[in-house]
Amino acid sequence: MFLSEIQGQAKAVKLLGRALENGRLAHAYLFIGPDGVGKVTAAKAMTAVLFCRQGEIAAPCGSCPGCMQYASGNHPDFLHIVPQGAVIKIDQVRELKKALAFSPLESDYRIILLEDVHTMRREAANSLLKLLEEPPAGNILLLTADESEPLLPTITSRCQVIPFYPLSHELTTAVIRRLNPELTIDQASFIATLTDGCPGLAGSFETDELLQLRAKIIAMLLDGNEDEAASTATALLLAAETAAIKNGFELLLNLLRFFFRETMVSMGGKSSGNSGCRELDLEIERARERWNLAELSDMVNAVDYAEMALARNCSQGLVCEVLFIKLLHVKSPAQGDPYRTMELTDR
Protein backbone atom coordinates (compact mmCIF):
# COMPACT_ATOMS: atom_id res chain seq x y z
CA MET A 1 0.00 0.00 0.00
CA PHE A 2 1.19 3.53 -0.79
CA LEU A 3 1.27 6.28 1.83
CA SER A 4 -1.34 8.20 -0.12
CA GLU A 5 -3.73 5.23 0.14
CA ILE A 6 -3.72 5.09 3.95
CA GLN A 7 -7.14 6.20 5.11
CA GLY A 8 -8.12 8.15 8.19
CA GLN A 9 -4.57 9.18 9.15
CA ALA A 10 -4.16 12.48 7.32
CA LYS A 11 -1.81 13.99 9.90
CA ALA A 12 0.55 11.01 9.92
CA VAL A 13 0.61 10.82 6.11
CA LYS A 14 1.30 14.56 5.89
CA LEU A 15 4.19 14.43 8.38
CA LEU A 16 5.82 11.44 6.72
CA GLY A 17 5.27 12.78 3.20
CA ARG A 18 6.85 16.12 4.09
CA ALA A 19 9.91 14.41 5.60
CA LEU A 20 10.35 12.23 2.51
CA GLU A 21 9.92 15.16 0.10
CA ASN A 22 12.42 17.36 1.96
CA GLY A 23 14.88 14.52 2.48
CA ARG A 24 15.14 15.53 6.14
CA LEU A 25 14.66 12.18 7.79
CA ALA A 26 14.93 11.57 11.51
CA HIS A 27 16.99 8.63 12.70
CA ALA A 28 13.96 7.21 14.53
CA TYR A 29 10.19 7.51 14.26
CA LEU A 30 7.65 6.37 16.84
CA PHE A 31 4.26 5.49 15.34
CA ILE A 32 1.95 5.59 18.33
CA GLY A 33 -1.75 4.85 18.58
CA PRO A 34 -4.22 1.99 19.12
CA ASP A 35 -3.62 -1.39 17.52
CA GLY A 36 -5.18 -1.89 14.12
CA VAL A 37 -5.24 1.72 12.86
CA GLY A 38 -2.48 1.46 10.26
CA LYS A 39 0.80 2.03 12.10
CA VAL A 40 2.61 -0.98 10.63
CA THR A 41 1.03 -0.38 7.21
CA ALA A 42 2.34 3.20 7.22
CA ALA A 43 5.80 2.06 8.33
CA LYS A 44 5.96 -0.46 5.49
CA ALA A 45 4.71 2.11 2.98
CA MET A 46 7.44 4.53 4.10
CA THR A 47 10.02 1.76 3.79
CA ALA A 48 8.89 1.08 0.20
CA VAL A 49 9.52 4.74 -0.67
CA LEU A 50 13.01 4.69 0.80
CA PHE A 51 13.98 1.51 -1.07
CA CYS A 52 12.66 2.67 -4.47
CA ARG A 53 15.63 3.58 -6.66
CA GLN A 54 13.52 5.79 -8.88
CA GLY A 55 12.91 8.17 -5.99
CA GLU A 56 9.13 8.01 -6.30
CA ILE A 57 7.50 9.31 -3.12
CA ALA A 58 3.78 9.22 -3.88
CA ALA A 59 3.97 5.76 -5.45
CA PRO A 60 7.17 3.67 -5.58
CA CYS A 61 7.75 2.35 -9.10
CA GLY A 62 7.44 -1.32 -8.14
CA SER A 63 9.83 -2.45 -10.87
CA CYS A 64 13.31 -1.35 -9.78
CA PRO A 65 15.58 -3.82 -7.95
CA GLY A 66 14.92 -2.12 -4.62
CA CYS A 67 11.14 -2.33 -5.01
CA MET A 68 11.23 -5.91 -6.22
CA GLN A 69 13.48 -7.10 -3.40
CA TYR A 70 11.31 -5.42 -0.79
CA ALA A 71 8.09 -6.77 -2.30
CA SER A 72 9.53 -10.29 -2.27
CA GLY A 73 10.47 -10.00 1.40
CA ASN A 74 14.16 -10.45 0.66
CA HIS A 75 15.61 -6.96 0.89
CA PRO A 76 18.95 -7.24 2.73
CA ASP A 77 18.57 -3.79 4.30
CA PHE A 78 15.20 -4.39 5.95
CA LEU A 79 15.00 -5.80 9.48
CA HIS A 80 11.63 -6.60 11.02
CA ILE A 81 11.47 -7.30 14.75
CA VAL A 82 8.28 -8.45 16.51
CA PRO A 83 7.70 -9.68 20.06
CA GLN A 84 8.77 -13.23 20.81
CA GLY A 85 5.76 -14.55 22.65
CA ALA A 86 4.47 -11.57 24.60
CA VAL A 87 7.54 -9.33 24.68
CA ILE A 88 10.50 -8.01 22.71
CA LYS A 89 13.41 -9.62 24.52
CA ILE A 90 16.82 -8.22 25.40
CA ASP A 91 18.52 -10.77 23.13
CA GLN A 92 16.58 -9.40 20.14
CA VAL A 93 17.87 -5.89 20.85
CA ARG A 94 21.41 -7.18 21.27
CA GLU A 95 21.27 -8.96 17.91
CA LEU A 96 19.93 -5.78 16.34
CA LYS A 97 22.90 -3.83 17.66
CA LYS A 98 25.28 -6.30 16.08
CA ALA A 99 23.53 -5.99 12.70
CA LEU A 100 23.64 -2.19 12.81
CA ALA A 101 27.41 -2.22 13.26
CA PHE A 102 27.70 -2.78 9.50
CA SER A 103 26.76 -0.36 6.72
CA PRO A 104 23.66 -0.99 4.55
CA LEU A 105 24.38 -3.46 1.77
CA GLU A 106 22.43 -2.11 -1.21
CA SER A 107 20.33 0.88 -0.20
CA ASP A 108 21.20 4.30 1.16
CA TYR A 109 19.41 3.29 4.34
CA ARG A 110 18.84 0.22 6.43
CA ILE A 111 15.26 0.26 7.74
CA ILE A 112 14.46 -1.39 11.06
CA LEU A 113 10.79 -1.92 11.91
CA LEU A 114 10.23 -2.73 15.58
CA GLU A 115 6.64 -3.58 16.35
CA ASP A 116 5.01 -3.16 19.77
CA VAL A 117 8.00 -1.64 21.57
CA HIS A 118 5.70 -1.09 24.57
CA THR A 119 6.10 -4.83 25.28
CA MET A 120 9.79 -4.44 26.12
CA ARG A 121 10.84 -5.03 29.70
CA ARG A 122 13.05 -2.38 31.28
CA GLU A 123 16.31 -4.17 30.45
CA ALA A 124 15.46 -4.37 26.74
CA ALA A 125 14.09 -0.82 26.70
CA ASN A 126 17.28 0.55 28.25
CA SER A 127 19.35 -1.33 25.68
CA LEU A 128 17.25 0.15 22.86
CA LEU A 129 17.60 3.59 24.45
CA LYS A 130 21.37 3.44 24.08
CA LEU A 131 20.89 2.65 20.40
CA LEU A 132 18.58 5.62 19.97
CA GLU A 133 21.03 7.91 21.75
CA GLU A 134 23.91 7.02 19.42
CA PRO A 135 22.36 5.63 16.22
CA PRO A 136 24.81 4.33 13.61
CA ALA A 137 24.76 6.31 10.36
CA GLY A 138 22.60 5.00 7.53
CA ASN A 139 19.96 3.42 9.76
CA ILE A 140 16.35 4.50 10.27
CA LEU A 141 14.33 2.95 13.05
CA LEU A 142 10.54 2.78 12.76
CA LEU A 143 8.94 1.91 16.10
CA THR A 144 5.28 1.16 16.74
CA ALA A 145 3.61 1.31 20.13
CA ASP A 146 0.17 1.24 21.72
CA GLU A 147 -0.54 4.62 23.28
CA SER A 148 -2.39 3.02 26.18
CA GLU A 149 0.68 1.07 27.32
CA PRO A 150 3.59 2.54 29.34
CA LEU A 151 6.70 3.49 27.40
CA LEU A 152 9.92 4.99 28.73
CA PRO A 153 9.69 8.78 28.25
CA THR A 154 13.35 8.78 27.27
CA ILE A 155 12.54 6.57 24.27
CA THR A 156 9.70 8.85 23.19
CA SER A 157 11.91 11.93 23.49
CA ARG A 158 14.52 10.46 21.15
CA CYS A 159 12.07 9.73 18.32
CA GLN A 160 9.93 11.84 16.07
CA VAL A 161 6.45 10.91 17.23
CA ILE A 162 3.85 10.22 14.52
CA PRO A 163 0.34 10.01 16.06
CA PHE A 164 -2.33 7.62 14.80
CA TYR A 165 -6.01 7.74 15.75
CA PRO A 166 -9.10 5.48 15.63
CA LEU A 167 -11.13 5.78 12.42
CA SER A 168 -14.75 6.84 12.15
CA HIS A 169 -17.36 4.08 12.22
CA GLU A 170 -18.20 4.63 8.54
CA LEU A 171 -14.57 4.52 7.41
CA THR A 172 -13.84 1.50 9.62
CA THR A 173 -16.79 -0.33 8.06
CA ALA A 174 -15.59 0.53 4.56
CA VAL A 175 -12.04 -0.66 5.27
CA ILE A 176 -13.27 -3.94 6.77
CA ARG A 177 -15.50 -4.58 3.74
CA ARG A 178 -12.63 -3.83 1.37
CA LEU A 179 -10.42 -6.32 3.20
CA ASN A 180 -13.24 -8.87 3.60
CA PRO A 181 -15.55 -8.55 0.57
CA GLU A 182 -17.50 -11.65 1.63
CA LEU A 183 -19.01 -9.72 4.56
CA THR A 184 -22.36 -7.98 4.30
CA ILE A 185 -22.66 -4.32 5.28
CA ASP A 186 -24.37 -5.31 8.54
CA GLN A 187 -21.63 -7.81 9.41
CA ALA A 188 -18.91 -5.30 8.61
CA SER A 189 -20.73 -2.64 10.65
CA PHE A 190 -20.95 -4.99 13.64
CA ILE A 191 -17.24 -5.80 13.48
CA ALA A 192 -16.45 -2.09 13.01
CA THR A 193 -18.34 -1.32 16.20
CA LEU A 194 -16.44 -3.98 18.13
CA THR A 195 -13.05 -2.82 16.83
CA ASP A 196 -13.87 0.73 18.01
CA GLY A 197 -12.27 2.42 15.01
CA CYS A 198 -9.36 -0.02 14.60
CA PRO A 199 -10.10 -2.03 11.42
CA GLY A 200 -6.80 -3.89 11.55
CA LEU A 201 -8.15 -5.86 14.51
CA ALA A 202 -10.86 -7.40 12.35
CA GLY A 203 -8.52 -10.08 11.03
CA SER A 204 -8.17 -11.55 14.53
CA PHE A 205 -11.87 -12.27 14.77
CA GLU A 206 -11.94 -14.82 11.98
CA THR A 207 -8.57 -16.38 12.83
CA ASP A 208 -9.31 -17.00 16.49
CA GLU A 209 -13.10 -17.27 16.27
CA LEU A 210 -13.26 -14.46 18.78
CA LEU A 211 -16.61 -13.19 17.58
CA GLN A 212 -18.29 -16.51 18.27
CA LEU A 213 -16.62 -16.88 21.66
CA ARG A 214 -17.41 -13.29 22.63
CA ALA A 215 -21.07 -13.81 21.70
CA LYS A 216 -21.21 -17.02 23.77
CA ILE A 217 -19.66 -15.33 26.80
CA ILE A 218 -22.01 -12.33 26.63
CA ALA A 219 -25.05 -14.60 26.22
CA MET A 220 -24.08 -16.75 29.22
CA LEU A 221 -23.43 -13.68 31.36
CA LEU A 222 -26.81 -12.22 30.42
CA ASP A 223 -28.58 -15.53 31.06
CA GLY A 224 -26.84 -16.18 34.37
CA ASN A 225 -29.67 -16.70 36.84
CA GLU A 226 -28.20 -19.80 38.45
CA ASP A 227 -27.30 -20.46 42.07
CA GLU A 228 -23.71 -20.01 43.22
CA ALA A 229 -22.64 -23.60 42.56
CA ALA A 230 -24.12 -23.62 39.05
CA SER A 231 -22.58 -20.22 38.31
CA THR A 232 -19.18 -21.48 39.37
CA ALA A 233 -19.55 -24.50 37.08
CA THR A 234 -20.49 -22.19 34.21
CA ALA A 235 -17.50 -19.97 35.01
CA LEU A 236 -15.11 -22.92 34.89
CA LEU A 237 -16.63 -24.08 31.60
CA LEU A 238 -16.11 -20.66 30.01
CA ALA A 239 -12.64 -20.44 31.52
CA ALA A 240 -11.57 -23.76 29.99
CA GLU A 241 -12.77 -22.72 26.54
CA THR A 242 -11.21 -19.27 26.76
CA ALA A 243 -7.90 -20.52 28.15
CA ALA A 244 -7.48 -22.61 24.99
CA ILE A 245 -7.06 -19.45 22.91
CA LYS A 246 -3.47 -19.33 21.72
CA ASN A 247 -3.65 -15.88 20.15
CA GLY A 248 -6.05 -13.04 20.76
CA PHE A 249 -6.87 -13.39 24.46
CA GLU A 250 -5.91 -9.74 25.09
CA LEU A 251 -8.22 -8.73 22.25
CA LEU A 252 -11.06 -10.75 23.78
CA LEU A 253 -10.55 -8.85 27.03
CA ASN A 254 -10.77 -5.60 25.10
CA LEU A 255 -14.03 -6.71 23.49
CA LEU A 256 -15.57 -7.57 26.86
CA ARG A 257 -14.42 -4.29 28.39
CA PHE A 258 -15.82 -2.39 25.40
CA PHE A 259 -19.23 -4.05 25.84
CA PHE A 260 -19.44 -3.26 29.56
CA ARG A 261 -18.35 0.33 29.01
CA GLU A 262 -20.78 0.86 26.11
CA THR A 263 -23.57 -0.35 28.38
CA MET A 264 -22.47 2.11 31.07
CA VAL A 265 -22.42 4.94 28.53
CA SER A 266 -25.95 4.07 27.41
CA MET A 267 -27.09 4.19 31.03
CA GLY A 268 -25.48 7.56 31.55
CA GLY A 269 -27.93 9.42 29.36
CA LYS A 270 -27.46 8.07 25.84
CA SER A 271 -30.31 5.86 24.70
CA SER A 272 -29.59 2.41 23.34
CA GLY A 273 -29.72 1.94 19.60
CA ASN A 274 -26.88 4.34 18.78
CA SER A 275 -24.08 1.88 18.13
CA GLY A 276 -24.85 1.41 14.45
CA CYS A 277 -25.30 -2.33 14.99
CA ARG A 278 -28.66 -3.86 15.88
CA GLU A 279 -27.13 -7.02 17.38
CA LEU A 280 -24.98 -5.02 19.78
CA ASP A 281 -27.87 -2.70 20.63
CA LEU A 282 -29.99 -5.70 21.66
CA GLU A 283 -27.18 -7.00 23.87
CA ILE A 284 -26.81 -3.58 25.49
CA GLU A 285 -30.56 -3.35 26.07
CA ARG A 286 -30.54 -6.68 27.92
CA ALA A 287 -27.45 -5.67 29.87
CA ARG A 288 -29.14 -2.45 31.00
CA GLU A 289 -31.98 -4.51 32.43
CA ARG A 290 -29.69 -6.98 34.19
CA TRP A 291 -26.91 -4.85 35.74
CA ASN A 292 -26.63 -1.45 37.37
CA LEU A 293 -23.72 0.98 37.00
CA ALA A 294 -21.89 -0.28 40.08
CA GLU A 295 -22.06 -3.89 38.86
CA LEU A 296 -20.85 -2.92 35.39
CA SER A 297 -18.00 -0.99 36.96
CA ASP A 298 -17.03 -4.12 38.90
CA MET A 299 -17.05 -6.10 35.66
CA VAL A 300 -14.77 -3.58 33.97
CA ASN A 301 -12.46 -3.79 36.98
CA ALA A 302 -12.45 -7.59 36.71
CA VAL A 303 -11.29 -7.35 33.10
CA ASP A 304 -8.64 -4.79 34.08
CA TYR A 305 -7.38 -7.10 36.85
CA ALA A 306 -7.16 -9.96 34.33
CA GLU A 307 -5.12 -7.81 31.98
CA MET A 308 -2.74 -6.81 34.78
CA ALA A 309 -2.41 -10.44 35.84
CA LEU A 310 -1.35 -11.39 32.32
CA ALA A 311 1.27 -8.64 32.43
CA ARG A 312 2.59 -10.25 35.63
CA ASN A 313 2.92 -13.57 33.78
CA CYS A 314 0.11 -15.32 35.63
CA SER A 315 -1.11 -18.51 34.01
CA GLN A 316 -3.76 -17.75 31.39
CA GLY A 317 -5.85 -20.65 32.67
CA LEU A 318 -5.91 -19.27 36.22
CA VAL A 319 -6.60 -15.77 34.94
CA CYS A 320 -9.62 -17.06 33.01
CA GLU A 321 -11.00 -18.97 36.00
CA VAL A 322 -10.81 -15.97 38.32
CA LEU A 323 -12.16 -13.61 35.66
CA PHE A 324 -15.31 -15.61 34.91
CA ILE A 325 -15.99 -16.42 38.55
CA LYS A 326 -15.91 -12.67 39.25
CA LEU A 327 -18.08 -11.84 36.23
CA LEU A 328 -20.71 -14.46 37.10
CA HIS A 329 -20.71 -13.47 40.77
CA VAL A 330 -20.70 -9.76 40.15
CA LYS A 331 -23.18 -9.15 42.97
CA SER A 332 -20.77 -10.66 45.48
CA PRO A 333 -18.72 -8.28 47.67
CA ALA A 334 -15.37 -7.23 46.17
CA GLN A 335 -12.47 -9.23 47.57
CA GLY A 336 -9.49 -7.23 46.32
CA ASP A 337 -7.05 -8.48 43.74
CA PRO A 338 -7.28 -12.30 43.69
CA TYR A 339 -4.37 -12.62 41.26
CA ARG A 340 -1.87 -11.63 43.93
CA THR A 341 -2.20 -15.11 45.40
CA MET A 342 -1.35 -16.78 42.14
CA GLU A 343 2.01 -18.34 41.54
CA LEU A 344 3.67 -16.46 38.67
CA THR A 345 4.10 -18.86 35.80
CA ASP A 346 4.77 -18.65 32.13
CA ARG A 347 1.60 -18.33 30.07
Side-chain angles (χ1 to χ4, degrees), residues 13-46:
V13 171
K14 182 178 180 180
L15 290 172
L16 295 175
R18 184 183 301 165
L20 290 166
E21 290 174 1
N22 296 336
R24 301 177 62 181
L25 296 167
H27 68 279
Y29 291 86
L30 175 61
F31 294 11
I32 191 163
D35 284 344
V37 295
K39 301 190 299 292
V40 173
T41 300
K44 291 182 176 180
M46 182 178 181

Side-chain angles (χ1 to χ4, degrees), residues 11-258:
K11 182 175 182 179
V13 171
K14 182 178 180 180
L15 290 172
L16 295 175
R18 184 183 301 165
L20 290 166
E21 290 174 1
N22 296 336
R24 301 177 62 181
L25 296 167
H27 68 279
Y29 291 86
L30 175 61
F31 294 11
I32 191 163
D35 284 344
V37 295
K39 301 190 299 292
V40 173
T41 300
K44 291 182 176 180
M46 182 178 181
T47 302
V49 172
L50 292 170
F51 283 155
C52 180
R53 299 186 185 180
Q54 300 301 320
E56 298 293 338
I57 294 175
C61 70
S63 57
C64 71
C67 285
M68 295 180 69
Q69 284 181 308
Y70 181 56
S72 68
N74 294 312
H75 201 295
D77 294 324
F78 180 64
L79 301 178
H80 189 185
I81 298 174
V82 298
Q84 289 183 353
V87 300
I88 292 178
K89 299 180 179 179
I90 180 64
D91 289 343
Q92 292 177 275
V93 180
R94 289 170 177 163
E95 289 300 317
L96 173 61
K97 286 183 173 181
K98 292 179 183 178
L100 268 57
F102 302 95
S103 300
L105 295 175
E106 296 188 14
S107 177
D108 292 335
Y109 301 100
R110 178 188 291 111
I111 312 299
I112 304 96
L113 172 56
L114 291 94
E115 289 191 44
D116 298 335
V117 293
H118 58 272
T119 65
M120 292 186 298
R121 302 290 167 80
R122 181 167 293 274
E123 183 182 20
N126 286 332
S127 183
L128 178 63
L129 178 59
K130 294 179 181 179
L131 183 61
L132 294 174
E133 289 173 340
E134 300 176 3
N139 294 283
I140 296 178
L141 289 92
L142 306 179
L143 286 60
T144 72
D146 188 332
E147 63 183 354
S148 65
E149 300 292 336
L151 192 64
L152 285 180
T154 45
I155 288 181
T156 304
S157 65
R158 285 163 175 77
C159 301
Q160 180 171 340
V161 178
I162 307 295
F164 285 74
Y165 306 99
L167 280 59
S168 68
H169 179 82
E170 293 75 15
L171 185 53
T172 303
T173 301
V175 172
I176 291 174
R177 282 209 79 197
R178 177 170 57 80
L179 297 175
N180 304 274
E182 73 280 3
L183 296 177
T184 66
I185 293 179
D186 287 343
Q187 289 173 325
S189 178
F190 179 54
I191 296 175
T193 301
L194 295 181
T195 63
D196 201 18
C198 305
L201 298 179
S204 301
F205 296 144
E206 181 179 358
T207 302
D208 301 315
E209 298 182 345
L210 291 185
L211 276 181
Q212 294 86 343
L213 182 55
R214 172 210 167 273
K216 180 177 181 178
I217 291 171
I218 296 297
M220 295 184 79
L221 291 176
L222 290 172
D223 291 338
N225 292 314
E226 305 165 320
D227 58 31
E228 185 171 348
S231 293
T232 300
T234 299
L236 296 178
L237 179 65
L238 287 174
E241 187 169 350
T242 305
I245 298 176
K246 294 182 179 179
N247 297 301
F249 181 54
E250 292 86 352
L251 178 55
L252 178 62
L253 293 179
N254 288 335
L255 292 176
L256 294 176
R257 183 192 292 110
F258 173 78

